[in-house]
């Protein structure tokens, strides 16, 4: 059965998205006013006027956040919650079984209730589970994620609840958002920005980026608008080279060549650059909430590590927002999300955004992409002992509890491998399509058929796994259900390397450093001896993670221990690497002194193969399909 399309009726689109007039036939709009003038010290003030009838009213604070794949609504960050009607305070009570629901008795004669509360932006990461529990503001910039700042009546579909939002920013700050502005987007005399009525769904899907150090780069065309808006803590962060701007402009062209159509009216990358916020990205239909380090555009290590961020989130406009797993196409933010198909939602996006568009646009050189693929493949193959007990599918199904885990034991738990490992699986699928079609078709053809079609405004078209298999079969007949069953749903002792091999390359190891791995280690401030000792170490000597079964594990080392000496000399990162190399071919183990609590102990690590780094090596017996896969399509 074909997937059903879920989208706003034409009358609601006209009423809620295009014009500021409220259609008489539609329900009264909620009114939401957010005062962000206090956000530089971490406080956002929300005030809502919610149409209501006398009797019990249940108000919902968004619980399940799309894109975060978890019940990560930051309800713990809400303070000063008050409900009133006609100026009189109303008693409210929280649902004892669902802390995201509040019940209130609306008095006779009342047509609306007022709700006031503050959202407290954390000064530091609480648990990394969702954006609402990480910093959303600095003294120089802020991000308005509306799902942190509202409640709505439980019951109607959030696509059918109209809301009229307004926002007050610190004086002189600039902003950007996918929301349609009223009055040309300028603040009124009271400093208030107003937006055209939208649905609660659309509002939540349209964050605002603002800052006093702010610049917007136009990267699109009148027919296909695309922009990059950057807010930063310091002016130097806005210095983006012309070459980098040209590469980001090519992302749009390459994406349209890949998909053949777009499903947004205008798209904006909303990028906050600061060392005081967590670095990540959250996708939306017509924008993405992107966050990177202050030196993202100037430091080579950050350019390499963060270079995939914007292409990845852009691909989500097609895969994840327009086409969405049926289990994620829910009526409101209180419905649990079925994340079982994240190996398509995130895994295919990893392949299309991080492998393909990043290379095809020129953001990352092809040689660096090969080192990136080698690092991903080796990491999944050698450094994931968790693969011996957890199938890849379970990393998707359990995403809500695997996100935001503290460091330590991640290699053994293998959290969120539906990103990287699925990217390798989709590479293999691409090579199969190319081989079986005699080079006449590729995964690009699947993308145009499945995600393309005619260009549209934002809409949601759900899919199932069977829809994916059927669409692939229409491109090239093959046992796609069996292909994914073996790689996604069964426990596999080794990573899926068939795509690398089918593309004409082999995964090998040598003493020559992997360029991507080296720069990533520098950016993350971790020493990566994972392919030798099976260990990752912070700059200060603290063991960040360990590969269970590797040499360091067998010697008795574990996460949280702090290395204080190597071979009798005080800890340095260079010393550890030097001793790993010096032990090559030797008989004596490497002696590592580490402290755990008040215990200091020397561990003897038996490893004698020297430094080992992953690389892709050409297999001359096969055509180089990888070059064709990564080559630009629109130059």
């Amino acid at each position: 059965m074909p997937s059903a399309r879920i989208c706003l009726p034409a009358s609601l689109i006209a009423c809620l998205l295009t014009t500021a007039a409220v259609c008489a036939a539609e329900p009264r709009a909620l009114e939401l006013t957010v005062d962000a003038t206090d956000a530089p010290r971490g406080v956002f003030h929300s005030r809502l006027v919610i149409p209501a009838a006398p009797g019990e009213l249940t108000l919902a604070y968004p619980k399940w956040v799309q894109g975060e794949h978890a019940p990560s609504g930051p309800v713990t960050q809400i303070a000063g919650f008050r409900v009133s009607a006609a100026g009189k305070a109303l008693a409210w009570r929280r649902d004892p079984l669902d802390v995201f629901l509040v019940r209130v008795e609306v008095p006779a004669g009342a047509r609306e209730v007022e709700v006031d509360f503050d959202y407290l932006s954390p000064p530091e990461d609480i648990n990394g589970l969702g954006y609402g529990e990480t910093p959303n503001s600095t003294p120089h910039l802020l991000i308005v994620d509306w799902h942190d700042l509202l409640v709505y009546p439980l019951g109607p579909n959030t696509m059918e609840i109209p809301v009229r939002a307004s926002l007050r920013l610190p004086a002189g700050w600039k902003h950007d958002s996918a929301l349609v502005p009223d009055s040309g987007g300028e603040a009124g005399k009271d400093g208030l920005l107003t937006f055209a009525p939208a649905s609660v769904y659309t509002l939540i899907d349209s964050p605002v980026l603002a800052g006093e150090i702010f610049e917007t780069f136009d990267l699109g065309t009148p027919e296909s608008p695309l922009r990059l808006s950057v807010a930063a803590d310091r002016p130097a962060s806005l210095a983006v080279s012309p070459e980098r701007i040209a590469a980001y402009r090519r992302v749009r062209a390459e994406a349209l060549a890949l998909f053949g159509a777009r499903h947004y009216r205008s798209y904006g990358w909303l990028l906050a650059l600061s060392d005081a916020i967590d670095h990540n990205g959250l996708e939306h239909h017509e924008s993405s909430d992107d966050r990177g380090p202050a030196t993202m555009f100037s430091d080579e290590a950050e350019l390499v590590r963060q270079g995939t961020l914007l292409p990845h989130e852009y691909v989500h406009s097609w895969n994840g927002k327009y086409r969405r797993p049926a289990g994620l196409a829910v009526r409101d933010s209180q419905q649990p999300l079925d994340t079982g198909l994240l190996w398509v939602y995130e895994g295919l996006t990893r392949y299309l955004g991080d492998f393909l568009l990043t290379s095809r646009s020129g953001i990352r050189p092809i040689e660096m992409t090969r080192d990136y693929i080698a690092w991903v493949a080796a990491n999944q193959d050698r450094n994931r002992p968790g693969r011996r007990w957890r199938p890849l599918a379970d990393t998707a199904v359990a995403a809500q509890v695997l996100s935001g885990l503290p460091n330590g034991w991640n290699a053994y738990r293998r959290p969120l491998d539906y990103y990287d490992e699925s990217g390798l699986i989709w590479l293999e699928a691409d090579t199969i399509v190319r081989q079986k079609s005699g080079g006449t078709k590729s995964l690009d053809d699947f993308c145009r058929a499945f995600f393309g079609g005619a260009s549209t405004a934002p809409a949601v078209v759900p899919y199932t796994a069977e829809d994916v298999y059927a669409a692939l079969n229409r491109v090239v007949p093959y046992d796609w259900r069996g292909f994914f069953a073996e790689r996604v749903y069964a426990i596999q002792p080794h990573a899926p390397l068939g795509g690398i091999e089918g593309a004409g390359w082999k995964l090998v190891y040598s003493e020559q450093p992997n360029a991507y791995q080296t720069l990533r280690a520098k950016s993350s401030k971790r020493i990566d001896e994972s392919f030798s000792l099976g260990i990752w170490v912070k700059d200060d000597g603290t063991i960040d993670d360990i590969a269970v079964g590797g040499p360091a594990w067998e010697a008795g080392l574990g996460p949280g221990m702090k290395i204080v000496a190597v071979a009798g000399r005080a800890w340095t990162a260079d010393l550890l690497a030097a001793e790993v190399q010096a032990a090559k071919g030797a008989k004596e183990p490497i002696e590592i002194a580490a402290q755990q609590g008040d215990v200091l102990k020397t561990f003897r690590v038996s490893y004698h193969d020297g430094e080992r780094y992953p690389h892709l090596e050409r297999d001359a017996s096969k055509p180089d399909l990888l070059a064709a896969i990564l080559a630009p399509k629109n130059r």
Side-chain angles (χ1 to χ4, degrees):
M1 178 181 295
S3 297
R5 178 183 295 267
I6 298 177
C7 59
L8 288 173
S11 61
L12 273 180
I13 292 175
C15 179
L16 304 182
L17 293 179
T18 308
T19 177
V22 179
C23 298
E26 302 299 340
R28 286 175 56 204
L30 281 71
E31 295 181 13
L32 168 63
T33 302
V34 173
D35 185 344
T37 56
D38 216 11
R41 65 172 175 173
V43 182
F44 294 75
H45 307 287
S46 279
R47 176 172 176 79
L48 294 108
V49 178
I50 302 174
E56 186 176 79
L57 172 67
T58 299
L59 298 174
Y61 184 76
K63 180 177 183 179
W64 290 81
V65 178
Q66 292 279 358
E68 294 180 0
H69 316 310
S72 52
V75 68
T76 57
Q77 299 308 111
I78 299 306
F81 191 87
R82 295 176 294 274
V83 185
S84 61
K88 295 183 179 180
L90 300 180
W92 57 268
R93 64 190 186 281
R94 193 181 302 275
D95 188 294
L97 300 181
D98 188 343
V99 298
F100 291 83
L101 300 181
V102 167
R103 305 192 194 282
V104 62
E105 190 70 24
V106 181
R111 297 184 62 247
E112 60 195 25
V113 297
E114 297 87 37
V115 178
D116 296 88
F117 65 87
D118 292 338
Y119 162 72
L120 309 177
S121 175
E124 58 185 7
D125 187 351
I126 296 176
N127 61 20
L129 181 61
Y131 269 6
E133 294 179 336
T134 64
N136 277 312
S137 64
T138 77
H140 304 286
L141 60 84
L142 62 87
I143 305 101
V144 173
D145 280 329
W146 298 101
H147 53 71
D148 298 338
L149 299 163
L150 62 79
V151 292
Y152 59 87
L154 185 66
N157 191 312
T158 53
M159 285 188 173
E160 299 171 355
I161 302 175
V163 57
R164 187 188 301 273
S166 56
L167 172 65
R168 182 174 286 107
L169 296 172
W173 284 29
K174 298 179 180 178
H175 76 284
D176 192 8
S177 174
L179 289 173
V180 178
D182 272 346
S183 306
E186 297 297 326
K189 292 182 179 180
D190 58 356
L192 202 64
L193 292 164
T194 59
F195 302 99
S199 68
V200 167
Y201 171 87
T202 299
L203 182 72
I204 290 175
D205 194 48
S206 307
V208 178
L209 173 70
E212 63 174 343
I213 303 169
F214 195 99
E215 186 167 353
T216 296
F217 302 88
D218 186 357
L219 306 177
T221 65
E223 297 75 26
S224 180
L226 174 69
R227 65 196 181 280
L228 167 62
S229 287
V230 185
D233 277 346
R234 50 182 186 261
S237 296
L238 299 183
V240 189
S241 71
E243 294 78 15
R244 178 67 40 167
I245 290 296
Y248 283 129
R249 182 172 286 112
R250 288 192 293 268
V251 171
R252 179 196 61 81
E254 291 295 339
L256 292 179
L258 174 64
F259 296 112
R262 58 184 172 86
H263 306 289
Y264 58 80
R265 296 160 300 177
S266 176
Y267 190 93
W269 283 309
L270 309 180
L271 178 60
L273 296 181
S274 170
D275 295 329
I277 60 177
D278 279 35
H279 304 145
N280 209 327
L282 187 63
E283 61 271 13
H284 298 281
H285 274 288
E286 298 188 295
S287 66
S288 53
D289 180 354
D290 308 304
R291 309 183 186 191
T295 56
M296 178 170 167
F297 293 125
S298 59
D299 183 274
E300 183 185 11
E302 299 296 356
L303 280 171
V304 167
R305 187 183 183 195
Q306 304 291 338
T308 64
L309 174 62
L310 302 187
H312 181 100
E313 302 307 332
Y314 188 43
V315 167
H316 272 316
S317 182
W318 289 267
N319 181 23
K321 302 308 294 185
Y322 172 61
R323 298 304 310 266
R324 187 179 306 174
L328 299 179
V330 294
R331 61 182 286 109
D332 62 35
S333 298
Q334 312 316 118
Q335 303 299 309
L337 300 177
D338 178 353
T339 56
L341 286 183
L342 287 183
W343 58 270
V344 184
Y345 181 124
E346 294 289 6
L348 180 55
T349 298
R350 176 72 90 212
Y351 179 63
L352 300 177
D354 301 39
F355 286 31
L356 270 58
L357 291 189
T358 303
S359 298
R360 291 178 180 181
S361 65
I363 289 176
R364 183 175 57 205
I366 300 297
E367 297 77 13
M368 185 68 75
T369 294
R370 287 201 296 265
D371 269 3
Y372 167 66
I373 294 173
W375 176 83
V376 167
N379 202 46
Q380 295 298 315
D381 193 51
R382 291 176 60 93
N383 294 335
R384 280 295 190 268
R387 67 181 314 108
R388 295 194 290 266
W389 70 273
R390 187 195 293 275
L392 180 64
D394 192 57
T395 72
V397 173
Q400 61 177 289
V401 296
L402 294 177
S403 298
L405 290 174
N407 288 331
W409 308 116
N410 279 346
Y412 196 24
R413 289 181 289 204
R414 73 173 314 207
L416 312 191
D417 280 1
Y418 56 78
Y419 279 97
D420 282 350
E421 186 153 323
S422 297
L424 297 175
I425 293 171
W426 284 102
L427 169 61
E428 185 174 4
D430 200 348
T431 62
I432 289 172
V433 171
R434 291 169 187 265
Q435 291 165 350
K436 291 196 169 293
S437 68
T440 62
K441 294 183 179 179
S442 71
L443 204 65
D444 292 36
D445 294 279
F446 164 77
C447 290
R448 282 190 289 274
F450 199 70
F451 301 108
S455 292
T456 68
V460 180
V461 182
Y463 62 80
T464 66
E466 292 300 321
D467 293 329
V468 175
Y469 306 150
L472 284 166
N473 264 310
R474 286 191 290 271
V475 177
V476 166
Y478 188 67
D479 181 14
W480 292 108
R481 183 185 291 102
F483 172 84
F484 289 109
E486 179 181 357
R487 290 155 182 79
V488 175
Y489 295 99
I491 290 177
Q492 294 290 346
H494 292 286
L497 303 181
I500 292 173
E501 295 163 359
W505 294 78
K506 295 183 292 186
L507 177 64
V508 299
Y509 296 85
S510 74
E511 295 181 356
Q512 176 67 32
N514 175 298
Y516 174 83
Q517 180 186 358
T518 299
L519 290 171
R520 183 182 180 89
K522 178 184 176 184
S523 171
S524 63
K525 297 177 173 56
R526 294 203 312 176
I527 294 89
D528 185 354
E529 289 290 348
S530 60
F531 301 117
S532 54
L533 303 181
I535 198 170
W536 295 262
V537 188
K538 296 179 182 179
D539 286 349
D540 67 355
T542 302
I543 297 175
D544 201 36
D545 204 357
I546 195 165
V548 173
W553 163 263
E554 294 297 336
L557 289 161
M561 296 182 183
K562 187 172 185 178
I563 300 174
V564 296
V566 180
R569 290 185 288 169
W571 156 262
T572 68
D574 291 340
L575 175 61
L576 180 62
E579 288 301 320
V580 168
Q581 192 62 25
K584 183 179 181 180
K587 295 182 179 180
E588 294 299 316
I590 302 171
E591 290 192 350
I592 296 179
Q595 184 173 359
Q596 184 180 26
D598 60 356
V599 176
L600 182 63
K601 184 178 178 180
T602 298
F603 300 85
R604 296 166 62 84
V605 183
S606 181
Y607 177 77
H608 307 289
D609 292 333
E611 293 281 20
R612 288 173 62 82
Y613 301 102
H615 298 278
L616 296 189
E617 181 181 90
R618 261 299 276 133
D619 181 352
S621 68
K622 300 177 181 178
D624 184 2
L625 295 185
L626 188 59
I629 288 171
L630 301 179
K633 300 298 182 287
N634 193 26
R635 289 197 200 173

